[in-house]
Amino acid sequence: MNLTTIDVILSEQHNMKKLLFGFALTVFLLSCSGDTIELPMGPAGSDFTVWNGPLIDFVKLDGVDPTLDVNQDCLTDNVCLTRGISGSIFNAVSQFSSADNPTGTEWAFGTTAELDQLTFQGFQATHGRQSPSVIGRDMVLHLIEDDVYLDIKFNSWARRKDNGEGGFSYTRRSE
């Protein structure tokens, strides 16, 4: 190795250190501002599972008892989705009625192919408290405790003002 080669290597190392310092300083300054920072990593840093099995259709009819197993979609031991005669969906494992978000879940519009680009939040927050707006739209459901992501698309949503009594349906991926 000659002196010129060593100078180039040292110069590249110095430039890399400056770049890393600049990135770290930017992250630090943004974190001090109180704003939320989303780095473009998505769930890639965690040990998660994406369900890509066969599609499953779930239907809960109007007016049926949401406490009965047949009227719940139990995705895992931690999450069984259902809905009462009005309001939103809830997790029958840990909740007894309509909730802003089924416990143990978070949602985003999009598909599992776009996981690194999605922002997850509660069910009601995702659709702006307009549950019927989810009909026909691609969504991703994250089962937090199990760290499972799956594609889901709502097919129907009965509304009380249209004489509906809690019916809804969706198509989702299985394990």
Side-chain angles (χ1 to χ4, degrees):
M1 225 183 269
N2 60 32
L3 190 56
T4 308
T5 305
I6 292 172
D7 288 340
V8 169
I9 292 171
L10 290 175
S11 176
E12 288 176 6
Q13 287 177 345
H14 180 72
N15 287 340
M16 182 60 78
K17 285 180 184 177
K18 286 185 352 187
L19 179 66
L20 288 173
F21 176 77
F23 176 75
L25 181 61
T26 302
V27 169
F28 173 76
L29 291 174
L30 287 173
S31 67
C32 291
S33 72
D35 294 333
T36 301
I37 301 172
E38 285 189 36
L39 298 177
M41 290 196 272
S46 64
D47 190 21
F48 65 95
T49 302
V50 175
W51 284 358
N52 287 314
L55 292 173
I56 292 177
D57 290 316
F58 173 75
V59 177
K60 183 199 167 273
L61 300 174
D62 273 348
V64 297
D65 185 349
T67 65
L68 299 176
D69 290 348
V70 69
N71 299 319
Q72 301 172 5
D73 182 19
C74 291
L75 292 93
T76 68
D77 290 341
N78 301 310
V79 177
C80 292
L81 298 178
T82 192
R83 183 178 176 218
I85 62 166
S86 65
S88 192
I89 58 176
F90 61 93
N91 181 355
V93 172
S94 56
Q95 297 168 302
F96 302 100
S97 63
S98 177
D100 281 345
N101 189 53
T103 55
T105 69
E106 56 185 4
W107 305 73
F109 284 114
T111 67
T112 53
E114 310 164 300
L115 273 182
D116 60 340
Q117 301 164 27
L118 302 179
T119 301
F120 288 85
Q121 51 191 346
F123 185 69
Q124 291 284 351
T126 299
H127 58 67
R129 305 189 74 76
Q130 298 297 318
S131 299
S133 72
V134 299
I135 296 171
R137 296 181 69 186
D138 291 326
M139 296 185 80
V140 176
L141 166 57
H142 179 209
L143 308 176
I144 298 169
E145 191 171 335
D146 302 288
D147 209 7
V148 169
Y149 294 83
L150 61 129
D151 291 313
I152 185 168
K153 185 182 287 189
F154 285 82
N155 303 314
S156 66
W157 190 276
R159 297 187 303 178
R160 190 89 166 150
K161 72 178 193 175
D162 298 328
N163 297 319
E165 292 188 342
F168 75 105
S169 66
Y170 55 72
T171 301
R172 67 165 176 87
R173 285 286 175 188
S174 62
E175 205 168 346

